[in-house]
Amino acid sequence: MKMAFKSKIKWIALFVLILSMVSLVIHLSITKLSGPYSLQSTLMPAIGLNLTPIFDGDRAVRNKRSWGHVKSLKSLQPYANPRSSYPVPNEMSNGYIYAKIFGGFEKIRSSICDLVTISRLLNATLVIPEIQESLQSKGISYKFKSFSYLYDEEQFIASLKNDVIIVNSLPENLKAGRRRNEIHTYKPKSSASPNFYVKEILPQLKKSKVIGLVLHDGGCLQSILPPSMSEFQRLRCRVAFHALKFRPKIQVLGQLMVQRLRASGQPFLAFHPGLVRNTLAYHGCAELYQAILDVHTELIQYRRAQMIKQGILNDKLSVDSHVRRSNGSCPLMPEEIGLLLKEMGYSTETMIYVAGSETFGGQRILIPLRANFSNTVDRTQVCTKQELSDLVGPETPLPLNPFQPPPTKSEEQLKEEWNRAGPRPRPLLPPPDRPIYQHEKEGWYGWITESDTEPDPSSVDLSNQAHRLIWDALDYIVSVEADAFFPGFHNDGSGWPDFSSLVMGHRLYESASSKTYRPDRRVLAELFNIIHDNLYHHNNRTWKRVVREHLNKSLSEDGLIRQSLLSKPTTFLSHPLPECSCRIPSAEVPKQVKGNDGRFLYGGEDECPRWMQLSQEDTRSESAVVEEGSDDNSESEYENHGVEQQESDDSRDRSGLTQIPMDQDDEWDPND
């Protein structure tokens, strides 16, 4: 009897166990099939990111005040086609123009646009320009020439066939003259006028059939041209926004990054800190880093001394960085950006993509921003290492440790050098019981503790500088496609072309109504001075209202007018209005604003052609049907804008991206 009872119990337990397993399998299957992003694991392999969408009822949370388009700019459309008689270039050109371009991503892009324009002006055949940043590195893959390392050569030539004749190289008879240095070479400034080329260079071009240009300043033609040359301005736009496409692998990975950032169903904001060593040195912003690490201040000052010696900068070496910051000359610091975004109503779970291949100060400088916005990521967290390494191609192996230790110095020599160095804030030597780490022997940390002179870049340094072009290209794609863009620093009439200004100009051309902030750093510096002693714990409603009003104005006409006054005289691509846009007729008549020189600062665009108006009407009718059902919900979002919402621990668990452990971040500052 007992045996039969025990046997029944066993069968019952086995049945319950099987039933539980079946129930678990069914639940897992339902969850997998009903999940909105079941392919997420295949989209983001081996990156360790959590892209779980945040839902409010049946729709994703999306604050239209923070992410929606600027209504007053919706009528602006991209239109860079020729508007007047524009003949195809004559095959019997006046000669060839070849060029060497020095500088980073921003200077290269601006210089190429100017080169094409000059070639059209002089009826010359343009040879594909040489990008020196990639040519100087011996480790660059044999698969790429200098131009094709970054851009698609075939696309570039084909897109501009009706504008300029472009060839891959000089004819053989002219190559020999170049090797013997028999070709006249010019070094034009970025502010060179069309008359300079017509009167000075064109006669020599006709005589020798070839000239060379060496470009250092991010361009070779003045930004603002006479109204009679508006077709040349539109040519610049066709080059920058249509012909200059990145090579296919860069383009594909850039678009894949955008998809991954939007995989949660949420919009994302791109932020470029603008904390570049050259920029900080040029504008005298060294003291902003004293609270972080004095050695960074010294590095900036060293670069500033170099610029003064080379004639790039005509200014004193030591300036008051806090005065420069108050003048709006210095970038906004990440902690200030975090505070501004919070005041604009962005949730702490907002996805923020940090663009830029160089953030001087490393990850340490971004800690305050990451503390406020946990979903702050960069390309190393959105792409795998394999994906990034595939872009550079098969390269010549370089020595992993090119550092050569300096000769040993006696105690008397070290003491004498220390005394002779004066009040320089050199890094202190580590305690005797602690070993000297590798990063304290090599790189900038090593030379600054040993010498007053920065060493020449090694082969590894040159290779890394060339790779920055690719990283900037990826970040450029993401920044242009982002739902909102906030610059930590952008061109305001001084210096050379910068990353943020080019992104802002591209976004203005492609979608003028997208959220692109154009802050006045002078105004924001005054506002931050008010709460400087209480930066993290303030509750001044008047201050918050002023901040919101200023940033909202920067999104619309006021921001465009200011950008046209300050940025356009330096870089046309930062503000390609009104030449490269047209306006769809609307009920609201745009105001027209002219500057002292008579040029349109805003509102001088031509009316769009009929075919473009019809396509826009179809688009508007489709969007009206889609948005009809969401009008009721949007009202509450507008009313709740700016109201601080309490966040539960559950909401933190559902954040769009989970930060990777710090030991996996290759860019983490070793001094941290």
Side-chain angles (χ1 to χ4, degrees):
M1 185 71 180
K2 287 184 179 180
M3 293 295 294
F5 181 73
K6 288 182 180 180
S7 178
K8 286 183 179 181
I9 292 178
K10 287 181 180 179
W11 281 108
I12 292 173
L14 181 61
F15 176 76
V16 171
L17 182 61
I18 293 173
L19 190 64
S20 301
M21 292 294 294
V22 171
S23 176
L24 181 61
V25 170
I26 292 173
H27 278 81
L28 288 174
S29 301
I30 293 174
T31 303
K32 185 176 182 180
L33 291 173
S34 62
Y37 301 104
S38 57
L39 297 179
Q40 173 182 310
S41 59
T42 60
L43 182 66
M44 297 288 291
I47 302 181
L49 297 179
N50 177 21
L51 295 175
T52 307
I54 306 169
F55 287 97
D56 179 11
D58 293 328
R59 66 181 184 85
V61 176
R62 181 174 178 133
N63 190 326
K64 287 190 176 182
R65 184 69 65 89
S66 299
W67 300 106
H69 287 262
V70 181
K71 290 184 179 179
S72 60
L73 302 180
K74 281 189 175 182
S75 60
L76 284 173
Q77 301 297 321
Y79 188 51
N81 293 353
R83 318 271 172 89
S84 58
S85 176
Y86 195 78
V88 175
N90 188 353
E91 291 186 5
M92 298 298 293
S93 68
N94 291 321
Y96 293 87
I97 293 178
Y98 76 89
K100 295 181 178 181
I101 303 175
F102 291 84
F105 178 86
E106 306 85 15
K107 290 185 177 181
I108 292 169
R109 197 169 183 86
S110 298
S111 296
I112 292 173
C113 295
D114 286 359
L115 275 173
V116 175
T117 308
I118 292 302
S119 299
R120 174 77 190 192
L121 177 67
L122 302 182
N123 187 28
T125 299
L126 176 64
V127 180
I128 290 286
E130 298 175 357
I131 298 175
Q132 298 301 303
E133 199 81 353
S134 60
L135 283 179
Q136 289 175 349
S137 176
K138 297 178 181 178
I140 291 298
S141 173
Y142 61 87
K143 292 177 61 178
F144 307 114
K145 297 178 182 177
S146 62
F147 187 89
S148 62
Y149 182 69
L150 193 58
Y151 294 109
D152 187 337
E153 270 191 28
E154 294 180 1
Q155 162 75 17
F156 181 67
I157 296 173
S159 296
L160 297 172
K161 64 181 179 180
N162 294 327
D163 298 292
V164 178
I165 299 174
I166 305 175
V167 295
N168 295 97
S169 61
L170 285 170
E172 290 299 326
N173 60 324
L174 296 178
K175 283 183 180 179
R178 181 183 176 183
R179 285 192 291 266
R180 295 193 297 267
N181 294 324
E182 295 174 354
I183 297 176
H184 285 78
T185 303
Y186 299 85
K187 296 181 180 180
K189 295 183 178 180
S190 59
S191 57
S193 68
N195 286 335
F196 166 76
Y197 290 96
V198 173
K199 294 180 179 179
E200 300 290 332
I201 293 183
L202 183 57
Q204 182 61 43
L205 177 64
K206 290 181 176 180
K207 179 181 177 182
S208 61
K209 293 302 178 182
V210 60
I211 61 163
L213 299 178
V214 179
L215 309 182
H216 285 274
D217 299 329
C220 57
L221 182 65
Q222 66 186 45
S223 174
I224 298 176
L225 299 176
S228 60
M229 299 185 69
S230 57
E231 290 297 351
F232 289 92
Q233 298 289 57
R234 282 188 276 275
L235 174 56
R236 277 171 158 170
C237 293
R238 291 197 293 277
V239 179
F241 308 134
H242 297 281
L244 272 182
K245 297 294 184 182
F246 301 112
R247 57 183 168 93
K249 274 196 172 182
I250 297 176
Q251 198 74 28
V252 168
L253 183 56
Q255 293 298 333
L256 184 59
M257 292 168 67
V258 174
Q259 293 176 20
R260 289 171 177 174
L261 289 165
R262 289 204 181 112
S264 65
Q266 295 296 296
F268 73 95
L269 179 143
F271 160 59
H272 185 262
L275 298 170
V276 180
R277 186 181 173 194
N278 284 341
T279 300
L280 295 164
Y282 186 90
H283 294 284
C285 307
E287 294 175 12
L288 299 182
Y289 279 79
Q290 280 188 339
I292 303 166
L293 198 63
D294 283 343
V295 72
H296 289 88
T297 300
E298 188 169 348
L299 285 164
I300 295 170
Q301 286 297 87
Y302 181 86
R303 181 60 56 85
R304 184 172 172 84
Q306 283 182 317
M307 290 181 172
I308 295 173
K309 185 177 180 180
Q310 295 169 1
I312 299 173
L313 180 62
N314 184 20
D315 199 356
K316 297 183 294 183
L317 175 61
S318 298
V319 294
D320 191 336
S321 297
H322 299 288
V323 173
R324 295 293 175 96
R325 174 182 171 275
S326 298
N327 292 338
S329 299
C330 295
L332 296 168
M333 299 305 281
E335 57 266 28
E336 297 172 335
I337 298 293
L339 187 57
L340 293 174
L341 294 179
K342 289 182 74 173
E343 298 308 333
M344 288 304 294
Y346 290 99
S347 164
T348 55
E349 294 180 344
T350 298
M351 183 82 66
I352 297 179
Y353 181 84
V354 179
S357 60
E358 176 187 353
T359 299
F360 192 69
Q363 293 295 327
R364 173 182 294 186
I365 200 82
L366 296 174
I367 287 176
L369 179 63
R370 294 183 187 275
N372 284 310
F373 294 91
S374 57
N375 291 332
T376 300
V377 297
D378 57 26
R379 67 181 175 280
T380 62
Q381 294 160 283
V382 182
C383 302
T384 63
K385 289 184 178 180
Q386 186 61 44
E387 287 173 333
L388 295 176
S389 64
D390 285 346
L391 288 184
V392 302
E395 295 188 336
T396 305
L398 296 173
L400 296 178
N401 185 14
F403 172 72
Q404 296 295 328
T408 306
K409 298 178 182 179
S410 65
E411 187 175 347
E412 291 76 13
Q413 286 177 315
L414 292 173
K415 187 174 181 180
E416 182 182 353
E417 289 181 4
W418 181 273
N419 294 332
R420 192 169 61 247
R424 289 176 68 219
R426 289 182 180 275
L428 293 176
L429 293 174
D433 293 337
R434 180 174 77 75
I436 298 178
Y437 299 119
Q438 188 70 20
H439 74 268
E440 295 175 326
K441 304 176 186 177
E442 58 187 25
W444 58 263
Y445 199 106
W447 73 258
I448 207 167
T449 56
E450 294 288 342
S451 170
D452 293 335
T453 306
E454 186 171 1
D456 294 331
S458 65
S459 56
V460 173
D461 294 332
L462 292 174
S463 179
N464 290 335
Q465 288 176 17
H467 292 168
R468 283 182 177 179
L469 298 180
I470 297 179
W471 312 149
D472 278 332
L474 290 175
D475 291 347
Y476 187 85
I477 294 171
V478 174
S479 298
V480 170
E481 294 288 335
D483 299 279
F485 179 75
F486 201 108
F489 179 88
H490 66 285
N491 192 304
D492 53 3
S494 58
W496 43 75
D498 62 276
F499 184 93
S500 290
S501 293
L502 294 187
V503 169
M504 293 162 72
H506 199 147
R507 290 172 64 88
L508 178 60
Y509 173 78
E510 284 198 352
S511 179
S513 61
S514 61
K515 289 278 185 182
T516 305
Y517 292 92
R518 306 172 186 89
D520 185 341
R521 292 187 302 280
R522 182 178 299 182
V523 172
L524 293 179
E526 293 177 359
L527 291 172
F528 280 119
N529 287 337
I530 296 173
I531 62 164
H532 184 269
D533 296 330
N534 195 17
L535 188 61
Y536 297 102
H537 306 284
H538 71 93
N539 194 23
N540 188 323
R541 292 191 176 183
T542 303
W543 188 91
K544 294 180 179 181
R545 178 176 54 80
V546 174
V547 167
R548 290 174 192 153
E549 287 179 355
H550 172 72
L551 291 180
N552 282 325
K553 284 182 178 180
S554 77
L555 292 168
S556 56
E557 294 94 334
D558 291 344
L560 292 181
I561 292 170
R562 180 178 179 274
Q563 192 173 356
S564 182
L565 280 169
L566 297 179
S567 301
K568 188 171 182 176
T570 306
T571 311
F572 171 74
L573 296 181
S574 68
H575 190 81
L577 292 183
E579 295 90 343
C580 299
S581 293
C582 63
R583 192 177 287 273
I584 301 288
S586 60
E588 183 181 349
V589 180
K591 61 180 179 181
Q592 293 188 344
V593 181
K594 287 189 175 182
N596 296 330
D597 56 358
R599 69 181 178 91
F600 279 104
L601 302 178
Y602 182 76
E605 298 79 19
D606 297 334
E607 185 174 309
C608 291
R610 182 64 180 163
W611 62 266
M612 189 178 289
Q613 296 181 33
L614 292 174
S615 64
Q616 287 298 315
E617 288 173 4
D618 294 340
T619 304
R620 280 199 296 268
S621 61
E622 290 176 4
S623 61
V625 173
V626 173
E627 293 180 359
E628 186 177 354
S630 61
D631 288 342
D632 297 336
N633 295 327
S634 63
E635 289 299 324
S636 61
E637 289 174 350
Y638 275 87
E639 292 172 3
N640 294 332
H641 170 64
V643 179
E644 220 171 282
Q645 298 180 356
Q646 299 293 327
E647 297 181 356
S648 65
D649 292 336
D650 294 338
S651 67
R652 291 185 180 276
D653 293 337
R654 294 178 297 162
S655 61
L657 283 177
T658 303
Q659 300 297 302
I660 64 172
M662 290 306 177
D663 58 354
Q664 295 181 22
D665 195 339
D666 292 338
E667 295 186 4
W668 187 254
D669 193 326
N671 299 314
D672 294 344

